[in-house]
């Protein structure tokens, strides 16, 4: 199969161009065509020499992911389901806000961590995505949105690796993908606007700090090891003290001076005042080492799915929990749930191909708009259309 140019960061593309006997700067031109202009056809790349275009046509391609479906929520959130082959699919969600556009990107088909409250975790692990498959989600979303909004300006201003999968269990593919997102010749995101979310794969938190320090979110969900063991099985391998030590170390390299702790609010499980108090104590131990505020809390209302057997904390409980943390000096926000009418909210991403039928039913029930019902047929390569 031809080489997929979405698999390369600029360094990789430069090496590839050199292997074709081309000068290094050709790689930058090519990279800009692909990522800044959304080009998939070499013939469109008018300032590349014809001889290079011909070489590329025989050896390479820009291969996006076929779109299985695209749904638009009543609140403007868009969810794409991409085909990654062998019956697997991954989801990508665009969340527009007044001052930014955030893309939530998947790193794996399924997830091996198996958190109790996560639909992806319940599905089990299928496989890691390649760099090109991670990048293709942004490539498609950015250029699709530009086209539909009739703009040449950047639409995706923030990327969060909070879709399906544990990004730090797919490190080798993740880092070049992050580099493409950061590159000024591609998407030019700042490190502060690119967030990796992890359930706490400690050794790779340390490696990320060295290799590509972007903003870090850590999925905490519990104030003690016994409870966290039962919610996030990875905690048995990397318990809280190791995780928080790793956060401390990460801060020395982070583009922001805080780590975001995500905390999914589960009724009667981790949402009581004593949990808040225990959390405050836990964080205080570490706070003494760092100067000032070193973490922020983001409380996520649990998005239920049938197999979990868990329930969402009610709004008053979430507010009371947030108040306790805030009063103790821990900056705490409550995440707005977006796109839940199309199952695009946190933890609802199952990438299930049955999703297509489910979504169609929902469309009738809730007037979800399908913009591209036949996008897969119209665009087999996933090129933004
Ligand atoms: N694997 C990484 C990133 C993907 S999950 C991680 O766990 O951090 C992204 C976020 O969604 C995590 O904070 C996760 O805990 C949260 N999440 C998972 N399932 C959820 C659910 N059902 N409701 C609300 N948040 C959920
Ligand atoms: Fe995997 Fe994150 Fe879901 Fe846990 S919450 S199962 S780590 S995707």
């Amino acid at each position: 199969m031809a080489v997929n140019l979405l698999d390369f960061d600029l360094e990789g593309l430069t090496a590839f161009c050199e292997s074709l006997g081309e000068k290094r700067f050709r790689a930058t031109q090519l990279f800009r065509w692909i990522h800044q202009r959304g080009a998939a056809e070499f013939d469109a790349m008018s300032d590349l020499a014809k001889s290079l275009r011909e070489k590329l046509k025989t050896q390479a391609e820009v291969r996006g992911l076929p779109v299985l479906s695209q749904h638009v929520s009543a609140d403007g959130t868009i969810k794409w389901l991409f085909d990654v082959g062998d019956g697997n699919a991954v989801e990508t969600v665009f969340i527009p806000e007044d001052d930014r556009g955030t893309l939530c990107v998947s790193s794996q088909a399924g997830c091996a961590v198996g958190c109790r409250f996560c639909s992806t975790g319940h599905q089990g692990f299928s496989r890691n995505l390649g760099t090109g498959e991670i990048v293709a989600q942004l490539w498609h979303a950015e250029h699709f949105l530009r086209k539909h909004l009739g703009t040449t300006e950047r639409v995706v201003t923030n990327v969060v690796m909070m879709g399906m999968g544990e990004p730090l269990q797919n490190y080798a593919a993740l880092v070049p993908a992050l580099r493409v997102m950061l590159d000024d010749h591609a998407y030019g995101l700042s490190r502060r606007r690119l967030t990796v979310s992890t359930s706490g794969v400690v050794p790779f938190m340390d490696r990320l700090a060295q290799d590509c320090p972007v903003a870090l979110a850590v999925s905490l969900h519990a104030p003690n090891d016994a409870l966290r063991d039962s919610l996030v099985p990875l905690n048995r391998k990397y318990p809280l003290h190791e995780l928080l030590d790793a956060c401390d170390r990460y801060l020395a390299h982070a583009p922001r001076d805080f780590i975001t702790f995500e905390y999914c609010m589960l009724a009667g499980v981790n949402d009581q005042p004593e949990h808040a108090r225990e959390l405050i104590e836990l964080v205080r131990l570490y706070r003494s080492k760092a100067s000032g505020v070193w973490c922020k809390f983001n409380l996520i209302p649990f998005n239920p799915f049938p197999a979990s057997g868990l329930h969402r904390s009610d709004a008053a409980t979430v507010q009371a929990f947030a108040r306790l943390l805030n009063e103790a000096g821990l900056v705490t926000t409550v995440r707005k749930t977006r796109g839940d009418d199309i199952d695009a909210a946190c933890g609802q991403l199952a990438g299930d191909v049955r999703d297509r039928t489910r979504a169609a039913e929902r469309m009738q029930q809730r007037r979800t708009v399908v913009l591209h019902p036949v996008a897969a047929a119209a665009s087999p390569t996933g090129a933004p259309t």
Side-chain angles (χ1 to χ4, degrees):
M1 205 188 262
V3 172
N4 184 7
L5 300 187
L6 293 184
D7 273 320
F8 294 131
D9 59 11
L10 186 52
E11 202 184 312
L13 192 62
T14 304
F16 176 71
C17 284
E18 283 178 334
S19 78
L20 297 180
E22 295 288 334
K23 298 231 163 55
R24 297 175 69 89
F25 77 94
R26 291 289 175 210
T28 309
Q29 281 180 309
L30 184 54
F31 201 61
R32 292 168 69 112
W33 271 110
I34 298 167
H35 296 292
Q36 290 190 340
R37 310 277 292 267
E41 300 302 329
F42 299 120
D43 278 335
M45 303 179 184
S46 46
D47 59 355
L48 295 185
K50 189 141 197 298
S51 58
L52 170 57
R53 282 187 264 156
E54 292 307 318
K55 260 189 252 177
L56 288 170
K57 273 196 253 178
T58 59
Q59 303 198 32
E61 62 182 332
V62 182
R63 191 168 63 246
L65 292 171
V67 178
L68 291 172
S69 67
Q70 173 183 288
H71 297 101
V72 183
S73 157
D75 68 14
T77 300
I78 304 177
K79 178 174 87 168
W80 290 275
L81 184 67
F82 291 106
D83 187 355
V84 293
D86 297 329
N88 292 313
V90 296
E91 293 177 322
T92 309
V93 180
F94 177 68
I95 306 148
E97 288 175 274
D98 292 343
D99 58 343
R100 71 183 93 166
T102 303
L103 194 70
C104 180
V105 170
S106 293
S107 55
Q108 298 179 314
C111 181
V113 178
C115 300
R116 243 173 77 197
F117 49 84
C118 174
S119 170
T120 308
H122 275 248
Q123 176 197 350
F125 176 68
S126 294
R127 70 169 175 85
N128 280 328
L129 298 188
T131 297
E133 292 172 316
I134 299 173
V135 170
Q137 298 170 60
L138 173 57
W139 181 70
H140 180 89
E142 175 66 34
H143 297 292
F144 170 84
L145 289 164
R146 278 192 206 177
K147 211 167 210 169
H148 280 258
L149 297 171
T151 179
T152 51
E153 301 282 302
R154 202 188 291 163
V155 182
V156 176
T157 60
N158 296 55
V159 169
V160 292
M161 296 301 304
M162 292 186 189
M164 297 166 64
E166 169 47 60
L168 295 187
Q169 287 189 338
N170 185 14
Y171 192 77
L174 175 74
V175 169
L178 298 178
R179 292 201 171 118
V180 175
M181 295 175 188
L182 293 169
D183 201 306
D184 283 337
H185 296 295
Y187 302 92
L189 296 180
S190 78
R191 290 180 189 276
R192 305 157 71 90
R193 288 171 173 268
L194 176 53
T195 301
V196 167
S197 176
T198 181
S199 55
V201 195
V202 165
F204 286 99
M205 289 167 65
D206 287 325
R207 287 190 54 186
L208 190 68
Q210 298 299 328
D211 296 338
C212 194
V214 295
L216 188 69
V218 171
S219 295
L220 205 59
H221 310 308
N224 61 61
D225 282 318
L227 185 55
R228 196 164 190 270
D229 281 353
S230 78
L231 295 173
V232 183
L234 193 67
N235 194 67
R236 294 185 204 126
K237 196 158 179 194
Y238 306 113
L240 280 169
H241 71 276
E242 286 187 30
L243 178 57
L244 293 177
D245 276 342
C247 290
D248 220 20
R249 291 194 296 274
Y250 194 87
L251 277 174
H253 306 268
R256 294 178 185 269
D257 53 7
F258 60 88
I259 304 275
T260 304
F261 287 132
E262 295 162 278
Y263 196 98
C264 180
M265 296 293 285
L266 303 163
V269 175
N270 64 355
D271 66 345
Q272 297 300 300
E274 64 261 29
H275 296 121
R277 284 192 279 271
E278 206 178 349
L279 208 49
I280 293 162
E281 282 314 305
L282 179 73
V283 166
R284 266 205 187 121
L285 290 175
Y286 288 83
R287 214 174 166 187
S288 57
K289 294 191 205 167
S291 56
V293 175
W294 69 278
C295 64
K296 292 187 180 178
F297 275 86
N298 194 215
L299 305 183
I300 315 174
F302 171 57
N303 292 308
F305 58 98
S308 72
L310 297 162
H311 305 280
R312 176 186 287 197
S313 309
D314 60 45
T317 307
V318 176
Q319 286 310 327
F321 198 93
R323 200 174 323 116
L324 283 172
L325 297 186
N326 274 316
E327 280 168 7
L330 300 175
V331 177
T332 304
T333 50
V334 178
R335 187 177 295 173
K336 266 194 286 177
T337 294
R338 299 285 304 260
D340 52 349
D341 55 339
I342 54 167
D343 278 357
C346 303
Q348 290 185 320
L349 307 182
D352 193 330
V353 275
R354 277 173 305 168
D355 194 86
R356 281 175 286 173
T357 353
R358 277 206 350 247
E361 286 161 10
R362 273 161 194 277
M363 190 176 67
Q364 289 176 340
Q365 286 163 5
R366 307 193 194 188
R367 276 182 271 131
T368 302
V369 183
V370 179
L371 284 184
H372 269 222
V374 288
S379 172
T381 62
T385 50

